[in-house]
Amino acid sequence: MSFPVGIVAVSNSLMFGSYSNALLYITGTECKDWKNPPQNHQVFLAGCFSGIVQVSFACLLVYFTAPVDLIKVRLQNQTESFQKKAKSDNLQARYRGPVHCVLSIYKAEGITGLYRGSTALILRDVPTLGLYFLTYEVLCKWMTGDGEIPDPWTMLFAGGCAGTVSWAAANPMDVIKSRLQMDGMQGVRYRGILDCISKSIEQEGFRVLCKGLTVNSLRAFPVNAVTFLSYEKLLQTL
């Protein structure tokens, strides 16, 4: 898991960097100014742009090295260690690590196997990152007086809420993305996104789209609270 987790820092730096620069370009300013905050539609567009950059970066990794998100999902769903496979022949225990995972997928499923769920990833990240930054900026303005810089507690609360709201919106497509990424390990079940949605709802009802929402929300609040506070403080310092 070290490779997928280690790439998060680079991915987040691209996400926040592209968001900041896009927002400055759209608003025609040179630095963030709380006295003249951007309009909501400008924040949303800049956030969507950051989603495109982040997904493009992920696709670049898929092409040159490894499909980071797919590796993460496959390794997370591997319930037994690779060493135990020799004893139990457990079909889930098939990957020694990220590189072996990529090579195994390529050998068994071809180059298209490395791109499973990529469209669902785009549909998940682009609009929800727009909502992510929009929620943060709106809450900061709502909780702060005109022209004032939000205090750290405001940034923490707004960042945590932004993470929770964006994951709530992303969760249905995240479920579909994960199922498409797991598809192929023991035969192909889905013809695409719509077929996956249709079969999942038919078999498990609409509640299937909410699977993992509680865990994602509990994780999203503290992680994004600290993320936004760190982001704002680093901008002020640098």
Side-chain angles (χ1 to χ4, degrees):
M1 291 302 296
S2 58
F3 180 75
V5 172
I7 211 69
V8 169
V10 179
S11 179
N12 278 350
S13 68
L14 284 172
M15 179 179 71
F16 278 89
S18 58
Y19 165 74
S20 297
N21 283 283
L23 191 59
L24 295 179
Y25 178 80
I26 293 172
T27 57
T29 56
E30 295 183 356
C31 61
K32 188 169 184 177
D33 185 4
W34 287 104
K35 294 182 179 180
N36 297 294
Q39 299 180 26
N40 291 342
H41 74 276
Q42 294 173 326
V43 173
F44 183 77
L45 287 175
C48 288
F49 175 75
S50 74
I52 294 173
V53 171
Q54 189 179 43
V55 171
S56 299
F57 172 68
C59 290
L60 191 65
L61 285 171
V62 168
Y63 184 80
F64 288 106
T65 55
V68 178
D69 196 67
L70 185 143
I71 294 172
K72 175 178 70 70
V73 170
R74 291 271 178 115
L75 292 178
Q76 284 177 334
N77 282 276
Q78 183 165 284
T79 58
E80 302 289 347
S81 67
F82 183 84
Q83 289 76 10
K84 193 174 180 179
K85 182 183 178 183
K87 299 178 182 179
S88 63
D89 197 30
N90 191 315
L91 291 176
Q92 289 285 354
R94 57 174 63 185
Y95 307 127
R96 286 195 296 263
V99 175
H100 183 251
C101 181
V102 174
L103 295 176
S104 298
I105 293 172
Y106 178 77
K107 183 178 180 180
E109 305 170 45
I111 190 66
T112 56
L114 297 174
Y115 289 88
R116 289 188 185 278
S118 58
T119 302
L121 180 64
I122 295 172
L123 293 175
R124 184 198 72 175
D125 281 359
V126 173
T128 53
L129 279 179
L131 182 62
Y132 176 65
F133 287 104
L134 178 61
T135 302
Y136 173 76
E137 296 288 350
V138 167
L139 285 176
C140 280
K141 286 189 287 186
W142 178 62
M143 299 174 65
T144 308
D146 292 339
E148 296 181 4
I149 298 177
D151 59 67
W153 289 110
T154 297
M155 294 176 182
L156 283 169
F157 179 77
C161 289
T164 302
V165 169
S166 64
W167 262 111
N171 202 81
M173 191 54 64
D174 187 62
V175 171
I176 300 304
K177 173 195 69 68
S178 296
R179 293 193 170 202
L180 289 171
Q181 289 174 331
M182 289 299 296
D183 202 28
M185 289 191 70
Q186 298 180 18
V188 178
R189 298 175 56 195
Y190 309 117
R191 294 192 300 272
I193 294 176
L194 293 178
D195 185 54
C196 183
I197 294 173
S198 175
K199 288 181 178 177
S200 297
I201 293 176
E202 182 180 353
Q203 293 171 4
E204 303 174 56
F206 282 97
R207 66 180 181 276
V208 67
L209 301 178
C210 296
K211 280 192 171 183
L213 179 58
T214 301
V215 174
N216 281 332
S217 298
L218 290 174
R219 180 194 65 176
F221 193 95
V223 168
N224 289 283
V226 174
T227 298
F228 267 106
L229 178 62
S230 302
Y231 163 71
E232 294 289 5
K233 291 303 179 183
L234 283 172
L235 280 184
Q236 294 173 17
T237 303
L238 300 175

